[in-house]
Amino acid sequence: MQDELNQFERSQVWHLVPRSKDGSVIGTKWVIRNKLDEDGTVTRNKAGLVVQGYIQEEGIDYDETFAPVARLEVLRLLIAFAAYMEFTLHQMDVKSAFLNGYLKEELFVKQPPGF
């Protein structure tokens, strides 16, 4: 959990401020996952901090949503093109990733439980 919060601080994702009296505050919760090796043995626990978006109301708290995901067709096309061009593909695991975008409005999020 501390590693996740350290990544937020290094990436300058948020700033700690006093609670706003007029803005709504979105809660957070921890999502814990076990990372397994090839034998199915737990190698480490991974914690992710997520916002409780189900509290928000469309039109009041947000207007649109966007979640970039890779479609299977795009991955097949990439692999086929790489094979045709004789490119070498490499796989990598991203520890934490954030969209390169800036919000126009202020968003207030509660500190995670336990911190």
Side-chain angles (χ1 to χ4, degrees):
M1 290 178 181
Q2 190 61 54
D3 286 344
E4 179 84 352
L5 293 177
N6 290 342
Q7 282 288 354
F8 287 168
E9 191 163 326
R10 276 194 293 274
S11 301
Q12 297 179 350
V13 173
W14 64 18
H15 302 281
L16 188 60
V17 297
R19 185 178 180 129
S20 171
K21 300 220 185 311
D22 52 342
S24 62
V25 180
I26 304 169
T28 58
K29 68 178 181 176
W30 289 105
V31 176
I32 310 294
R33 215 174 41 180
N34 293 329
K35 298 293 274 187
L36 307 174
D37 64 5
E38 308 84 41
D39 302 326
T41 307
V42 176
T43 56
R44 71 184 199 109
N45 297 319
K46 186 171 182 177
L49 184 66
V50 297
V51 295
Q52 296 170 323
Y54 55 83
I55 297 173
Q56 297 177 306
E57 294 184 42
E58 185 176 5
I60 297 172
D61 297 312
Y62 67 92
D63 293 321
E64 62 181 336
T65 61
F66 178 72
V69 294
R71 294 179 51 107
L72 188 56
E73 295 85 5
V74 174
L75 293 176
R76 286 182 180 155
L77 181 64
L78 172 68
I79 293 170
F81 183 72
Y84 176 76
M85 298 298 290
E86 298 181 5
F87 291 158
T88 302
L89 294 179
H90 299 277
Q91 177 184 349
M92 63 183 254
D93 186 20
V94 178
K95 192 167 185 177
S96 66
F98 298 98
L99 294 176
N100 291 325
Y102 295 97
L103 297 175
K104 295 175 187 167
E105 58 279 327
E106 285 187 327
L107 178 67
F108 295 97
V109 179
K110 286 183 187 175
Q111 280 187 284
F115 287 85

